[in-house]
Amino acid sequence: MCSENLLGVPPTYLTDDPAVREALAGAIGFDVDDVLEQTVRDHPTSSLAWAVLADRAWSRRELVQSYAYARVGYHRGLDALRRGGWKGPGPVPWSHEGNRGVLLSLYMLRRAAEGIGETDEVTRLTDFLDGSDPAAIPAIEAGDR
C-alpha cells in the first residue's frame, strides 16, 4: 500500500500533551480506574484520556460504556483536528505522538461499534483511519501506543 499523500493536503500535526501521557502512565501500580477517571476530569478535552478509558471499559466487556467513552474521544479529537487546521480529508500521521489520541479514539470507537453491531459506523471509521494514516490500524493492533 502506498503511503504517499496523493491529495496534496498537508498533514495535520496536533500538539502533544505529555501531562496526559504522564498521568496515564502513573496508573501503573495504583487503582487504575481512579487514575483514569481523574485524568479525564483533569484533561476533559484529551482524546487520549477518553480512548484509554474506552479501552479499559472494553477490557471489562462493557461494550456500551466503551462506545460512549470512545465517542467522546472521537468528538474531542475532531475539535482538536479542526483547531489544528484540518479541513476533513488529509493525512493525520500515527508516527506523530500528538496525533495518537485522536487516532486511538477513532480505533476504539470503531472496535466498540463493531462490538454492538453498528456495521455502517465500522466501515466509516475504517475509511477515516485508513485515510488519515494506513499505518494506524496495524500499529494500534500491534500494541504500538
Side-chain angles (χ1 to χ4, degrees):
M1 177 170 261
C2 179
S3 63
E4 183 181 346
N5 178 3
L6 300 177
L7 296 174
V9 178
T12 300
Y13 296 104
L14 299 176
T15 303
D16 186 24
D17 191 348
V20 173
R21 285 188 290 109
E22 289 171 16
L24 294 171
I28 298 170
F30 293 94
D31 184 339
V32 173
D33 294 328
D34 288 345
V35 174
L36 293 179
E37 289 179 17
Q38 186 62 51
T39 302
V40 166
R41 283 193 295 275
D42 291 345
H43 307 277
T45 62
S46 170
S47 288
L48 179 59
W50 286 104
V52 172
L53 198 57
D55 194 38
R56 179 72 171 165
W58 179 266
S59 72
R60 293 179 168 173
R61 297 183 183 0
E62 298 169 347
L63 304 185
V64 173
Q65 293 89 332
S66 180
Y67 183 92
Y69 294 143
R71 177 64 69 184
V72 174
Y74 163 83
H75 283 288
R76 295 301 189 155
L78 288 178
D79 293 343
L81 287 168
R82 289 180 186 121
R83 280 193 310 274
W86 181 80
K87 303 282 190 237
V92 182
W94 172 259
S95 61
H96 179 70
E97 189 73 44
N99 293 346
R100 289 189 176 189
V102 171
L103 297 171
L104 193 56
S105 285
L106 289 168
Y107 180 86
M108 295 300 162
L109 183 56
R110 175 181 167 263
R111 182 176 69 180
E114 185 172 39
I116 64 171
E118 193 176 357
T119 56
D120 290 343
E121 184 77 341
V122 173
T123 300
R124 188 181 69 78
L125 291 164
T126 300
D127 292 345
F128 193 161
L129 280 160
D130 286 343
S132 296
D133 186 344
I137 292 173
I140 292 166
E141 291 178 348
D144 181 18
R145 297 185 191 174

